[in-house]
Amino acid sequence: MRLVVNNKPVEGVDAAADMTLLRYLRSGQQLMGTKEGCASGDCGACTVIVGRPSPQGLTYSTVNACICPLGSLQDCHVFTVEALAASADSLHPVQAAMVECHGSQCGFCTPGFVMSLANLQLNEGARLAQADDAVQRAAVIDAISGNLCRCTGYRPIVAAGMAALKKPAQVASFVQEWVPNAPLAGKNPESVAPVAAPLLHGDGSSYWQPHTEVELQQLLHAYPQARLVAGGTDLMLEVTQQYKSLAHLIDLNRVETLQQIEINEREVILGAAVCYSQLEKSLRDLSPEFVALLGRLGSRQIRNRGTLGGNICNASPIADSPPYLLALDAEVEIVNGRGEVRREKLTQFYRDYKKTSLMTGEYLARIYINRAHLAKPLKLFKISKRYEDDISAVMGAFCWSGKTTNEFFIAFGGMAAIPKRASATEQFLNKSPWCIAGSVDENILEQACDVLRSEFSPLSDVRASAEYRMAMACNLLKKSCYEFAAEASGNHIETRLFAHA
């Protein structure tokens, strides 16, 4: 394996397959500025900037080093806080602003904040320097949405981020510190290892990174028990939180066909390894309600790596994207190690708690959304204790085509062992005149809630009681109906997401 760390090529790296970037930086490179706080991608103390090869050169984004597999960074540039300053006497603009604005007290979280803000200045500094304060503030808050500070307070940190954005002239010097196209010394660019050779194979483990689906299928056929990893934002918690060893990993980050988004007249086809940050850009006009939801799905660092396919295959009952896809009656494409393909409804994919229709040696390749469904009115409501970067207590998704067929699609997360469609409630509302000329029949909605109560038996846990979850599900159903009725009457309802639990 080879990568670049702070502009220094590093070749012949070998380690266990489940080695994280954070462990490698601290133990392998003695770069101690990148801290371990939560070991789960929540606090942002381990934030680094990663430059990934693309047709346009390197593209830069922040990631949580604590849950980022080292093997996923083949041929990437990793940039830590130690290399930000041009010299000991010349701080990076973000570092200088943090000092000037008193943005640090104990300092433990500070390197992570600095890296998040430096990445913002690198990618958006020239544009944001001309923007007004409200736009700059929103950009800064988004950039640090995955960084936690318990002693300084966010006001001076936000002020430091905005102050750094007002210094666009120094962005260019920051970019020039990188050498994005420099070849790694001693390597023949045409010398590519065969797919069977792992990038990492330390401690009896193996880490592969195929470049095509054919190579992926060959690996799955040869190693059917290997675990698949794309972003690793959930899988790597088994290493950092449960102290498990993942012996064999197959990385999907370089399989180009799994990273593609195709939009045609009939459907939207999403590669399973497309990250959330890319979905935000590609679906901004097609599905603004879902893009708004993504703003509450993890932090910016998580969305830079987390993938739609991972969220689906994790099969968590409280995952945020499956209810949305279920409400759109989405389909998934599954492929096995022999290249055989099948396509099925997402409603058939989930079987039981943490169990799906995926069999050994299979992978989820693509997600299909009918554009006719995507064009229908849609409501997504996430109930969580924190507004941002929190796990749902209840997630409700509602799709209705009332002006034409009175067809309702309803799906919930957090209400059963799997993300689940409310089929009986759908059938009841589809046969009932609950909305006439924009007026809602409250009696019919109460009956619909009775049907909903008969369909679901939620559990009580640390996030919410069973009674609370059921009450929320009923209220969200009513809320969606009232908003659909209002919009059918020509009254605009602003896209927004329910916040509190």
Side-chain angles (χ1 to χ4, degrees):
M1 180 184 171
R2 61 183 194 173
L3 72 160
V4 177
V5 178
N6 294 338
N7 269 338
K8 296 179 181 178
V10 183
E11 298 188 68
V13 177
D14 207 1
D18 56 9
M19 170 71 79
T20 65
L21 174 59
L22 177 63
R23 283 175 55 203
Y24 173 73
L25 291 175
R26 292 180 64 85
S27 63
Q29 293 288 323
Q30 287 72 53
L31 295 169
M32 304 302 180
T34 307
K35 310 293 183 61
E36 179 177 73
C38 64
S40 59
D42 287 330
C43 74
C46 65
T47 301
V48 298
I49 297 174
V50 171
R52 292 189 174 279
S54 76
Q56 294 75 39
L58 291 184
T59 57
Y60 302 98
S61 62
T62 51
V63 305
N64 295 117
C66 70
I67 54 173
C68 178
L70 174 64
S72 68
L73 301 175
Q74 170 77 344
D75 290 331
C76 293
H77 287 226
V78 177
F79 200 62
T80 73
V81 70
E82 284 87 350
L84 269 184
S87 68
D89 300 322
S90 177
L91 294 177
H92 183 273
V94 171
Q95 293 172 315
M98 289 287 278
V99 174
E100 294 164 4
C101 297
H102 305 286
S104 175
Q105 287 190 39
C106 84
F108 185 87
C109 69
T110 305
F113 274 96
V114 166
M115 296 308 292
S116 292
L117 293 172
N119 183 74
L120 174 66
Q121 193 193 52
L122 171 63
N123 287 318
E124 300 287 340
R127 178 182 67 85
L128 290 172
Q130 310 302 320
D132 59 33
D133 284 354
V135 173
Q136 288 185 350
R137 180 181 176 82
V140 167
I141 289 175
D142 176 77
I144 62 174
S145 62
N147 296 86
L148 298 182
C149 179
R150 289 190 170 94
C151 62
T152 301
Y154 283 81
R155 184 199 57 76
I157 297 174
V158 172
M162 295 176 66
L165 288 175
K166 299 183 190 303
K167 303 176 181 180
Q170 300 193 43
V171 175
S173 63
F174 175 48
V175 175
Q176 289 169 8
E177 291 180 6
W178 292 81
V179 189
N181 297 314
L184 297 180
K187 279 287 185 180
N188 179 356
E190 297 181 358
S191 176
V192 180
V195 67
L199 283 178
L200 301 173
H201 47 79
D203 297 334
S205 63
S206 300
Y207 191 104
W208 295 274
Q209 193 178 64
H211 285 229
T212 67
E213 285 194 67
V214 171
E215 293 176 352
L216 170 60
Q217 291 157 17
Q218 291 171 347
L219 282 170
L220 280 174
H221 187 69
Y223 306 96
Q225 301 299 329
R227 304 286 295 274
L228 299 180
V229 60
T233 55
D234 185 80
L235 178 64
M236 293 304 289
L237 298 185
E238 294 185 19
V239 177
T240 62
Q241 300 289 303
Q242 301 175 28
Y243 305 107
K244 291 183 179 179
S245 295
L246 303 179
H248 302 295
L249 293 173
I250 301 176
D251 185 330
L252 306 179
N253 279 292
R254 293 293 182 88
V255 182
E256 185 177 350
T257 55
L258 300 184
Q259 310 248 354
Q260 294 175 343
I261 296 176
E262 179 185 343
I263 301 173
N264 56 48
E265 294 181 356
R266 190 168 60 89
E267 57 191 0
V268 174
I269 306 171
L270 306 172
V274 172
C275 72
Y276 298 124
S277 290
Q278 183 58 47
L279 287 176
E280 286 178 296
K281 299 174 183 177
S282 300
L283 300 182
R284 190 174 305 280
D285 297 326
L286 283 173
S287 191
E289 188 89 1
F290 181 55
V291 171
L293 172 68
L294 288 177
R296 296 185 57 198
L297 197 160
S299 64
R300 176 54 59 193
Q301 291 95 316
I302 292 295
R303 296 198 296 277
N304 284 340
R305 283 194 60 84
T307 64
L308 188 61
N311 203 226
I312 294 170
C313 292
N314 180 43
S316 169
I318 48 177
D320 287 332
S321 65
Y324 162 74
L325 296 170
L326 286 168
L328 294 179
D329 203 29
E331 298 182 0
V332 292
E333 178 185 299
I334 297 169
V335 186
N336 65 20
R338 296 182 297 276
E340 298 167 341
V341 180
R342 75 174 190 274
R343 184 165 159 174
E344 65 186 28
K345 296 281 190 181
L346 188 59
T347 50
Q348 301 170 318
F349 183 76
Y350 294 111
R351 301 297 173 84
D352 201 347
Y353 178 71
K354 289 287 188 174
K355 293 182 179 180
T356 70
S357 64
L358 278 175
M359 293 184 288
T360 301
E362 291 186 329
Y363 65 94
L364 173 65
R366 278 158 281 276
I367 301 96
Y368 295 81
I369 303 175
N370 190 313
R371 289 198 65 173
H373 293 311
L374 203 58
K376 297 176 183 178
L378 175 72
K379 300 294 174 184
L380 302 176
F381 301 112
K382 175 173 177 172
I383 308 296
S384 60
K385 292 184 177 181
R386 288 196 310 261
Y387 185 79
E388 291 180 319
D389 201 10
D390 199 10
I391 297 173
S392 296
V394 178
M395 175 69 206
F398 308 88
C399 183
W400 181 58
S401 54
K403 287 187 176 181
T404 55
T405 60
N406 188 36
E407 187 177 34
F408 233 125
F409 292 90
I410 303 168
F412 285 102
M415 292 291 293
I418 59 175
K420 184 179 176 183
R421 282 268 295 274
S423 303
T425 307
E426 291 174 354
Q427 293 173 16
F428 174 80
L429 287 171
N430 290 344
K431 296 177 182 178
S432 304
W434 65 269
C435 177
I436 300 176
S439 179
V440 174
D441 189 320
E442 296 183 9
N443 183 54
I444 291 179
L445 289 192
E446 288 296 341
Q447 294 177 49
C449 288
D450 289 338
V451 177
L452 188 64
R453 293 185 189 98
S454 70
E455 282 197 86
F456 291 90
S457 298
L459 298 176
S460 294
D461 61 17
V462 68
R463 295 182 185 89
S465 67
E467 294 78 12
Y468 179 84
R469 284 189 161 106
M470 184 56 72
M472 281 295 100
C474 291
N475 286 343
L476 293 181
L477 174 61
K478 293 178 181 178
K479 180 180 176 66
S480 67
C481 288
Y482 276 105
E483 292 197 4
F484 282 139
E487 291 175 346
S489 299
N491 297 321
H492 174 67
I493 302 295
E494 182 181 356
T495 299
R496 62 193 184 281
L497 298 166
F498 220 48
H500 292 286

